[in-house]
């Protein structure tokens, strides 16, 4: 689509929504989606109060009203391309909200925002993934962006009725679920979820009227209007099929990291997380935090080891939230001492947020941290990109690929994989290709691990700016490079 036709289509969309006088009464599913989106973003905020909120495509203010009620003291900027929609939203919500005319695809507001959201607007944008990234760039550290969109298959019953009559429905082509899963803003942790809703209508005419009343009657680019006879045939066929339509919706909720840093985890215990952490600290001049430490009866502990190997100072290391003697999972080791790990103490240190912080987990992703939290839950809570440490030799493919799948199922960003042990080019290539992940470094096996060997190995680690910038490109950029 040319720039001229894209602008013309946007103008038609704006006019359609401005003319949608019956929107509030007809927009049943829009209300449902607004509530689902609000519940998701509130859960992601986890009790935090946003101070600045940006809403794109606010329409007549369904979501705006929820946001203002929940956080009345927040600076809330609600935007839409349709001026008359903004007027209706202003009447609904009242004072205390700033309303602005703005195209979500071309945000011209100044961040940083603690929360950015938009309900059922992204299906109208020409380049939704680009718009999502532009908006995410306006987030404050730790900020959340939550959006929803319609998916392919929406109004399929109407399309089928038209096809049966030899006609082509002019309803827009919505993106496939797989396409939407690729809309992942760089650096952000989060994922898309989907929902299917069925809406009955009195008859086909009521459905067509519904499209017009909700401003959704703008046809796709190659759509052609039906003649009265063609429309009657399509409506009759639609009525025979039950006069109902299915909506397919997707909700995306993502959080920007609260600070610079990575979460280091492994495919197993003893796989080389601490050595890798020491190399990262040395290479990046980073801080270090081991939230939970066990096994102190058998060793001096990972914090002391990293300090000795990396050369970092005590002030560069944050104290553990729990340290235990037994060589067990943190949960089991704490229980062995009659202790209990308080989840409230597992708070990511935010001092010097621009300086990289290496956070080292205990064991692998599915190691229990508390009665209710696994290590992967903590990684999700902190939202830092993950460095996965894996063995280089036999057996690593299954463990590594499963761990990558578990990370992606939680919507966690992956900075890359570090392979530890004898060099194995075939395994390295397979993990990179099948796991669609960057191999950050391959650390050869060492006869003895000293500060000197860590200094040498750290030269194999990419520069921090390289890793951070690569994460900002997001998953799409990496898959294209691979």
């Amino acid at each position: 689509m040319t720039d001229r036709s894209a602008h013309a289509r946007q103008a038609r969309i704006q006019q359609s929504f401005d003319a949608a006088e019956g929107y509030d009464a007809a927009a049943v599913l829009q209300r449902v989606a607004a509530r689902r989106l609000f519940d998701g973003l509130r859960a992601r905020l986890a009790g935090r109060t946003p101070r600045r909120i940006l809403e794109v495509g606010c329409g007549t203010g369904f979501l705006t009203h929820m946001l203002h009620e929940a956080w009345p003291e927040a600076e809330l900027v609600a935007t839409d391309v349709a001026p008359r929609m903004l007027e209706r939203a202003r009447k609904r919500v009242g004072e205390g909200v700033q309303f602005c005319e703005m195209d979500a695809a071309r945000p011209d507001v100044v961040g940083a925002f603690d929360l950015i959201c938009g309900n059922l607007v992204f299906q109208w944008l020409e380049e939704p993934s680009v718009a999502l990234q532009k908006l995410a760039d306006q987030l404050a550290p730790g900020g959340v962006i939550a959006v929803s969109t319609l998916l392919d298959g929406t109004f399929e019953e109407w399309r089928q009725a038209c096809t049966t009559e030899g006609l082509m429905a002019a309803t827009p082509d919505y993106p496939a679920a797989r396409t939407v899963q690729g809309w992942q803003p760089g650096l952000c942790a989060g994922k898309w979820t989907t929902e299917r809703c069925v809406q009955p209508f009195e008859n086909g005419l009521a459905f067509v009227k519904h499209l017009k009343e909700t401003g959704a009657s703008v046809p796709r680019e190659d759509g052609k209007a039906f003649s009265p006879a063609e429309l009657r045939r399509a409506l009759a066929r639609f009525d025979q099929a039950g006069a109902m339509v299915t909506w397919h919706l997707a909700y995306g909720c993502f959080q920007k990291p609260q600070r610079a840093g990575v979460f280091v985890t492994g495919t197993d215990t003893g796989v080389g997380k601490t050595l890798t952490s020491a190399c990262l600290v040395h290479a990046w001049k980073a801080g270090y935090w081991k939230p939970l430490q066990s096994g102190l009866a058998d060793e001096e502990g990972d914090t002391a080891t990293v300090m000795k190997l990396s050369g970092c100072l005590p002030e560069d290391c944050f104290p553990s939230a729990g340290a235990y003697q037994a060589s067990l999972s943190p949960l089991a080791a704490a229980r062995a001492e009659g202790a209990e790990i308080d989840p409230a103490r597992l708070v990511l240190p935010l001092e010097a947020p621009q300086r990289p912080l290496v956070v080292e987990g205990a064991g692998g992703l599915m190691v229990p941290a508390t009665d209710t939290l696994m290590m992967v839950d903590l990684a999700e809570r902190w939202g830092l990109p993950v460095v996965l440490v894996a063995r280089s030799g036999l057996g690593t493919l299954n463990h590594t690929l499963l761990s990558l799948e578990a990370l992606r199922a939680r919507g966690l960003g992956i900075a890359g994989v570090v392979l530890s042990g004898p060099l194995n080019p075939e395994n390295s290539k397979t993990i990179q290709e099948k796991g669609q992940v960057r191999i950050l470094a391959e650390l050869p096996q060492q006869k003895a691990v000293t500060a000197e060997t860590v200094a040498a190995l750290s030269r194999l680690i990419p520069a921090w700016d390289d890793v951070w910038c690569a994460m900002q490109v997001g998953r799409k950029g990496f898959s294209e490079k691979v």
Side-chain angles (χ1 to χ4, degrees):
M1 188 181 294
T2 66
D3 288 345
R4 179 177 292 182
S5 60
H7 286 306
R9 178 168 172 77
Q10 283 302 108
R12 291 179 69 187
I13 292 171
Q14 175 183 334
Q15 292 166 5
S16 178
F17 280 105
D18 262 342
E21 296 290 346
Y23 186 92
D24 282 357
V28 176
L29 261 294
Q30 286 80 353
R31 278 191 174 88
V32 170
R35 171 53 64 183
R36 297 277 197 279
L37 188 67
F38 177 78
D39 290 343
L41 66 86
R42 191 165 196 170
R44 189 80 201 191
L45 285 167
R48 290 179 290 128
T49 299
R51 292 171 297 176
R52 295 195 75 210
I53 303 172
L54 171 66
E55 184 188 0
V56 296
C58 70
T60 62
F62 295 154
L63 181 58
T64 318
H65 182 70
M66 297 178 203
L67 296 169
H68 187 50
E69 271 203 332
W71 301 292
E73 302 304 317
E75 178 189 344
L76 173 53
V77 181
T79 68
D80 201 282
V81 295
R84 294 179 68 181
M85 283 283 191
L86 288 169
E87 285 303 315
R88 293 172 209 157
R90 183 179 283 110
K91 290 178 182 177
R92 177 190 298 277
V93 180
E95 300 298 322
V97 176
Q98 179 183 347
F99 291 94
C100 302
E101 187 175 339
M102 188 187 82
D103 184 350
R106 300 169 184 81
D108 56 0
V109 291
V110 179
F113 292 95
D114 303 301
L115 173 62
I116 298 175
C117 51
N119 183 46
L120 295 185
V121 61
F122 272 65
Q123 70 270 9
W124 296 109
L125 307 183
E126 290 301 320
E127 296 183 296
S129 62
V130 174
L132 184 63
Q133 186 62 62
K134 285 181 180 178
L135 290 168
D137 289 343
Q138 301 290 329
L139 286 173
V144 170
I145 181 165
V147 298
S148 60
T149 185
L150 296 180
L151 293 176
D152 184 35
T154 297
F155 308 147
E156 181 59 32
E157 295 85 350
W158 171 248
R159 285 174 174 258
Q160 187 59 48
C162 294
T163 300
T164 303
E165 292 299 322
L167 305 170
M168 181 178 290
T171 49
D173 291 324
Y174 299 119
R178 184 170 182 176
T179 299
V180 171
Q181 293 294 341
W183 301 351
Q184 178 86 13
L187 276 182
C188 294
K191 59 183 180 180
W192 289 89
T193 58
T194 59
E195 181 180 29
R196 174 180 175 273
C197 299
V198 177
Q199 183 176 11
F201 287 89
E202 183 179 347
N203 51 43
L205 194 59
F207 167 67
V208 173
K209 184 181 178 183
H210 169 270
L211 291 180
K212 186 174 182 180
E213 287 176 336
T214 57
S217 58
V218 177
R220 64 171 185 265
E221 193 68 15
D222 59 349
K224 296 180 180 178
F226 293 165
S227 69
E230 289 173 334
L231 180 59
R232 283 194 296 272
R233 282 165 38 210
L235 291 173
R237 182 68 63 175
F238 182 74
D239 290 346
Q240 289 174 15
M244 61 180 63
V245 294
T246 301
W247 298 71
H248 294 269
L249 306 103
Y251 305 92
C253 195
F254 308 93
Q255 182 174 350
K256 189 173 183 178
Q258 294 177 274
R259 60 162 304 132
V262 295
F263 179 83
V264 179
T265 189
T267 56
D268 198 359
T269 299
V271 76
K273 292 190 306 299
T274 302
L275 171 61
T276 298
S277 295
C279 291
L280 297 177
V281 169
H282 188 280
W284 297 339
K285 295 180 172 54
Y288 175 80
W289 184 42
K290 178 80 173 184
L292 296 170
Q293 173 71 65
S294 56
L296 293 177
D298 303 316
E299 57 184 31
E300 60 182 341
D302 292 339
T303 301
T305 300
V306 168
M307 286 175 58
K308 181 171 66 178
L309 294 176
S310 70
C312 70
L313 302 173
E315 54 264 33
D316 298 322
C317 300
F318 294 92
S320 297
Y324 310 101
Q325 300 299 310
S327 296
L328 302 168
S329 71
L331 176 61
R335 283 176 174 170
E337 297 179 22
E340 187 173 333
I341 299 173
D342 182 4
R345 295 187 59 199
L346 296 169
V347 178
L348 185 69
L350 297 180
E351 291 86 341
Q354 300 305 316
R355 182 189 184 189
L357 176 67
V358 175
V359 180
E360 183 184 348
L365 292 170
M366 295 303 175
V367 168
T370 73
D371 283 331
T372 58
L373 298 172
M374 311 289 274
M375 277 293 150
V376 70
D377 296 312
L378 296 180
E380 186 176 5
R381 172 184 289 188
W382 296 324
L384 296 176
V386 173
V387 172
L388 178 66
V389 185
R391 290 185 176 84
S392 60
L394 187 66
T396 192
L397 297 181
N398 186 57
H399 291 166
T400 306
L401 296 177
L402 280 174
S403 295
L404 291 171
E405 189 171 311
L407 288 169
R408 289 189 172 121
R410 295 297 189 100
L412 287 165
I414 303 169
V417 170
V418 172
L419 293 174
S420 176
L423 296 180
N424 190 317
E426 188 61 33
N427 280 348
S428 176
K429 179 182 178 184
T430 301
I431 289 169
Q432 177 174 273
E433 292 180 350
K434 300 298 184 184
Q436 286 291 285
V437 71
R438 180 182 184 181
I439 303 298
L440 282 182
E442 298 177 68
L443 305 182
Q445 197 164 16
Q446 305 295 309
K447 291 182 180 178
V449 179
T450 64
E452 290 71 28
T453 57
V454 164
L457 290 173
S458 68
R459 289 194 283 272
L460 302 174
I461 303 292
W464 169 251
D465 286 346
D466 173 30
V467 174
W468 197 247
C469 289
M471 285 295 299
Q472 286 178 314
V473 173
R475 295 177 188 171
K476 181 180 177 183
F478 176 76
S479 63
E480 285 173 349
K481 284 195 292 182
V482 171

